[in-house]
Each structure stands twice: as structure tokens, then as C-alpha cells.
Amino acid sequence: MGTNDTGKPNLDSILSERKAFDETKAGVKGLVDEGLKKIASFFHHQPDKYQKANNPSHVIPVIDLVDIDNKDPSIHQGIVDKIKEACETWGFFQITNHGIPLSVFEELKDGVKRFYEQDTEVKKALYSRDKNRSFIYNSNFDIYSSPALNWRDTFICYLAPDTHKPEDFPVVCRDILLEYGKHMMNLGTLLFELLSEALGLIPNHLKDMDCAEGLVALCHYYPPCPEPELTVGTTKHSDTDFLTVLLQDHIGGLQVFYEDKWIDIKPVPGALIVNVGDLLQLITNDKFKSVEHRVLANHVGPRTSIACFFCTFHRSSSKLYGPIKELLSENNPPKYKETTVNDYITYFEAKGLGTSALTHYKI
Ligand code: OGA
Ligand code: NI
């Protein structure tokens, strides 16, 4: 790496190294395929000062939805109460018996792997940073703004409201992505109803605010890493959306930040992880928490995960979102200014992963 007079790496050389990596269009997987044994310094992260929790009771709640349609209102309310508690403390929970067949999960993970493991030349044609595409594959969306890169490749596809161009999706995973999108929209409707109830609002409240209108899938591929202690799979961050529903495979490495410690979110077969995003924290005036999390790099891999973001991202309207009026009172005045989804996301992307955009909107 080039250095200037002060001995510090200069910005031009940092950017040109990242540009060279970007221009390979082969992502982190391309580096691993070359058999590299040491990782480039632009993947090196500052050591994290926080410890792993050793309190065995610190586990994010697993909530069983099997009785969701039970006619006994107290059973339904029991589930709502668990969700409320989880959103107020952890910002995370896992759900089981959510209605999505396990075979769909297997096909989806296989489809995502098939995409990454196809010929590099075929993938290169889809490598892009053009936000107007409905399918965007690249490595590190914030490659030119983040302090250090992540050991991960990602493709993003828009599943709702406009999947009108499914021909843009690669054929190796097209059908399963579209099928998963349909399941996810049904599940999203249910989750936003339960979240509305957990806030003491009518079940349709969040849906009527269009929180469930947009769905974007982020399909991650974390190749095995030769020096995992020097880097991370995903930098510590909170999600920018209203709500995220994540499918992770069996490998593990996802951690949530709780009381200044890292807690492993251990894979539970058949479960989905649900977490509150920044925009839900904003509209609930901090009642529900958008909590930071990260993914460790690992010698073992590849790890795949599919994060479904309920959010319209760059397709959003001029609709303004601020703290929900029904939740405010004299003792609970609004903590945030109103913003559009687009404005929020644009602000976040300029900063790069790891910097919460929420504080920018604090009153
Ligand atoms: C994300 C995320 C976690 C994972 O996409 O925002 O936190 O396990 N993903 O990939
Ligand atoms: Ni996340």
C-alpha cells in the first residue's frame, strides 16, 4: 500500500486498491477461488473492544406462532406480549411454525449458492452498483466509503411492490426467489399486524402506513476466510428498514449487541430471525429498538443468509414517516423529525454500514 510523508496510507492508494478489487467483478469469492492465504489490508478491521456474553440466560427469544389463529384471545395475546417484550428489549426474536415450508428454505439457500457458484464470467454481467436495476450483485455496497471492507458478497433483488421484471433475475434462482417473496409478503402482513397490536394499535395500523409495501431480499454469501480474526463478515450495524426477516444457514456467526456484550444468535433449524429496523424505531418513538448486530468471518464456509427487508428503499414515494401520533403524549413527545424512506436510505448509504442514521433525525 502507498504511504504519504506521515507514514499513513494515503486516500488515493486506498481507493485504487479497492477499485482494482471492485473491477475484478468476482467479489470476495473470487479471491478465495484464487487460493489466497493472506487477506488484503483493506479487509482489516480495528479489534473490537467488546466481549462475548457468558450469561447463558442471554438468548434471544424463540416465539412459536403455531397458535396464532387460536380462538382463545388469551393465547393470541400471549404471543403478542412476547413479541412486544422482545421488540422492547432485544429488538430481535426468532419465530417457528411461521407457515413457510422448510423445503422452501432449502431450495432458497441452494438457489443462492447456485448463483454464487456459477461461472464467474456469467456473474460478472450482473455485477453492478446501479440502484435502478431490480437485481444488483456486488461486494460491499459501501466499498468506497467504509473504513474497512467486509468478507462477504451480496446480491439484492426487489420482490415487492414491483416484481414486474422477473426476467432480470438469474435463472438459477429466479423461481425460488419469486416464490419466497410471496411467502414473505404473507408472513410480513402477519408480523406487522402482531407488531401493531403489540403497540396497542389496531392490527392494520402499520400495514396502512405502507410498512409492508416494499420487500427487498439481500442474499449474502460469506466465503471461508483464511484470516477470520482480522476481518468481519458484516460490520456492526443496525438495519435501515422497518423490519427484517432473516434466514441463516447452519454455520452461525451472527451476533447481537446486548448490554455491551456480543450474544450469538445460534441457528435454530426451521426458524426465521426477525428484527426491528431503524424506521420502526423512528415511528414507534424508540419504543421498539433497532439493535446493532454483526456477522463474524469464519474459516468454515461458505455461509449463506437471506435477509428480507421490509422497506421500499429507492422506489419509495414522498410519504413522510415520523413518530406515530397515537403513541405520543405530553410525557412522550416526538423524538424524531419526519423523513421519507428515500431520504433516510440515501443519508445512510452516504455514511456506509456501521453508522446509524437515526441520530441524524433526532429532535
Ligand atoms: C443484514 C444482516 C445478517 C446475516 O443483511 O443486514 O445483518 O446473517 N445480515 O447475514
Ligand atoms: Ni442487518
Side-chain angles (χ1 to χ4, degrees):
M1 185 192 286
T3 53
N4 60 18
D5 298 344
T6 63
K8 290 204 180 115
N10 70 50
L11 197 59
D12 284 349
S13 82
I14 291 176
L15 288 183
S16 67
E17 285 174 334
R18 293 185 185 200
K19 192 155 186 285
F21 166 63
D22 200 17
E23 284 174 351
T24 66
K25 301 189 174 190
V28 173
K29 181 172 186 303
L31 301 173
V32 173
D33 289 345
E34 280 170 17
L36 147 148
K37 294 280 175 289
K38 289 215 158 298
I39 69 173
S41 58
F42 53 79
F43 286 105
H44 290 187
H45 284 243
Q46 296 291 333
D48 181 86
K49 61 176 191 243
Y50 299 102
Q51 314 272 309
K52 220 173 122 156
N54 46 19
N55 183 341
S57 69
H58 284 176
V59 182
I60 69 158
V62 180
I63 303 177
D64 190 339
L65 299 183
V66 72
D67 283 326
I68 201 67
D69 293 325
N70 197 295
K71 295 282 175 290
D72 179 347
S74 69
I75 293 182
H76 180 86
Q77 192 57 42
I79 297 173
V80 170
D81 290 346
K82 282 189 192 152
I83 291 180
K84 175 170 182 277
E85 159 98 32
C87 292
E88 288 176 356
T89 53
W90 292 95
F92 271 77
F93 53 97
Q94 309 215 42
I95 50 172
T96 54
N97 291 305
H98 37 63
I100 304 183
L102 301 190
S103 58
V104 171
F105 288 175
E106 293 312 311
E107 277 175 53
L108 180 64
K109 286 181 284 180
D110 288 349
V112 170
K113 265 210 188 113
R114 266 199 306 277
F115 171 79
Y116 286 103
E117 291 172 3
Q118 68 190 325
D119 200 88
T120 309
E121 291 309 312
V122 178
K123 270 191 310 188
K124 275 185 185 172
L126 292 161
Y127 193 96
S128 158
R129 298 186 187 275
D130 176 357
K131 298 194 169 57
N132 294 315
R133 294 198 184 185
S134 3
F135 185 96
I136 305 164
Y137 150 63
N138 62 44
S139 187
N140 288 268
F141 75 92
D142 51 357
I143 191 165
Y144 298 113
S145 58
S146 68
L149 300 197
N150 289 181
W151 198 258
R152 182 187 86 249
D153 299 325
T154 298
F155 70 76
I156 296 183
C157 52
Y158 286 80
L159 295 174
D162 51 351
T163 35
H164 58 266
K165 278 171 82 188
E167 65 275 15
D168 287 354
F169 293 5
V171 76
V172 286
C173 52
R174 181 186 298 160
D175 291 351
I176 188 63
L177 283 169
L178 295 173
E179 185 182 345
Y180 194 64
K182 288 192 194 124
H183 283 294
M184 206 33 72
M185 289 306 279
N186 290 334
L187 179 62
T189 302
L190 171 66
L191 288 171
F192 280 108
E193 280 174 10
L194 295 170
L195 291 166
S196 301
E197 290 179 61
L199 291 165
L201 302 168
I202 58 157
N204 275 350
H205 197 106
L206 293 172
K207 190 158 181 266
D208 289 347
M209 289 177 74
D210 293 343
C211 295
E213 192 185 76
L215 182 65
V216 184
L218 279 68
C219 301
H220 303 299
Y221 186 89
Y222 300 84
C225 180
E227 297 182 299
E229 55 296 331
L230 297 180
T231 187
V232 296
T234 299
T235 304
K236 176 181 179 181
H237 69 285
S238 60
D239 292 352
T240 45
D241 55 350
F242 291 104
L243 194 73
T244 306
V245 181
L246 180 94
L247 173 65
Q248 66 167 341
D249 70 9
H250 58 285
I251 291 192
L254 176 62
Q255 297 183 317
V256 57
F257 196 57
Y258 180 73
E259 293 181 348
D260 284 347
K261 298 246 164 53
W262 287 111
I263 316 256
D264 288 330
I265 303 189
K266 297 220 170 69
V268 173
L272 286 165
I273 297 158
V274 181
N275 67 282
V276 173
D278 294 350
L279 289 168
L280 190 55
Q281 176 166 339
L282 185 147
I283 63 173
T284 64
N285 211 34
D286 284 351
K287 192 163 172 59
F288 288 173
K289 306 271 184 303
S290 175
V291 175
E292 289 178 305
H293 50 285
R294 68 174 181 183
V295 182
L296 299 175
N298 198 331
H299 280 293
V300 182
R303 171 181 187 267
T304 49
S305 67
I306 295 92
C308 279
F309 275 50
F310 282 93
C311 185
T312 40
F313 280 104
H314 294 282
R315 315 288 152 103
S316 57
S317 68
S318 54
K319 196 178 165 86
L320 283 168
Y321 286 93
I324 295 171
K325 302 279 180 298
E326 286 82 344
L327 302 179
L328 302 177
S329 65
E330 216 173 303
N331 295 333
N332 183 21
K335 297 190 170 101
Y336 297 98
K337 293 180 275 194
E338 291 190 322
T339 174
T340 64
V341 171
N342 209 359
D343 190 60
Y344 192 84
I345 303 292
T346 305
Y347 181 80
F348 161 80
E349 286 187 349
K351 296 269 167 199
L353 198 62
T355 317
S356 172
L358 263 181
T359 46
H360 180 69
Y361 294 88
K362 271 241 150 101
I363 289 176

